[in-house]
Amino acid sequence: MTVSNDTSITYPIQQQASIIAGFGRGSSELGIPTANIPINTELNKLEPGIYYGWCKLIPLTAQCDEIKKRVDGKDVLFNHGNELTNEEKDIFPMVMSIGWNPYYHNKDKTAEVHIIHKFHENFYGSKIEYVVLGYIRPELNFNSIDELIDTINSDIEYAKLKLKSDELSGKEYFTK
Ligand code: RBF
Ligand code: MG
């Protein structure tokens, strides 16, 4: 177990959350989709920045599809993860961004998870279980969107290396 610079925080931080609608920017502008989750007490204790760990999607099969409005006004379908294939319900590496996205000057603090896997469909309204294992870097501002994208891609490579060098495979954290 490692202790972050805030001594009240110990990793792993393991929680479940519901995936909410974000700005719709991750997929369309950056090509790096993120699952947005509500900020809770535990995430709020973490210093803003970029983190890595493992995650797993848990569809809410009992829920019907519904249309919800995103902050950009667009209607999005909440299928609650019911389109996920078995393979897509596996455990995947993830990178998480917590803060105000200085490049976009967000007004509210957000938490978003980029799951390191290519999915066939959206899964708004699904549940996600995540395990935060460590800190990568602070949130930064950039001169161009390409610099932001390049930096996120380095975060993804860093997370993959860290998780591979761990003695744990991720499976240990999740109950089937
Ligand atoms: N936004 C920033 O403004 N600065 C960052 O340094 C930054 N780093 C990120 C790192 C990762 C791994 C991820 C998934 C997102 C990051 N973002 C950052 C947030 C990004 O701007 C956001 O996901 C999109 O704008 C979609 O909401
Ligand atoms: Mg998002």
Side-chain angles (χ1 to χ4, degrees), residues 22-23 26 33-36 112:
F23 303 100
T34 62
N36 293 57
E112 323 172 36

Side-chain angles (χ1 to χ4, degrees), residues 66-113:
E66 51 184 329
I67 308 278
K68 289 199 185 188
K69 237 181 229 323
R70 211 163 56 189
V71 286
D72 64 354
K74 197 176 174 254
D75 284 337
V76 286
L77 179 70
F78 271 58
N79 62 24
H80 308 282
N82 286 320
E83 309 298 322
L84 292 167
T85 63
N86 275 339
E87 183 218 346
E88 290 172 335
K89 288 180 243 173
D90 208 343
I91 298 159
F92 295 112
M94 66 85 175
V95 275
M96 183 186 280
S97 160
I98 302 175
W100 288 268
N101 300 182
Y103 185 75
Y104 289 101
H105 312 285
N106 286 0
K107 290 204 175 59
D108 299 315
K109 194 176 188 182
T110 58
E112 323 172 36
V113 178

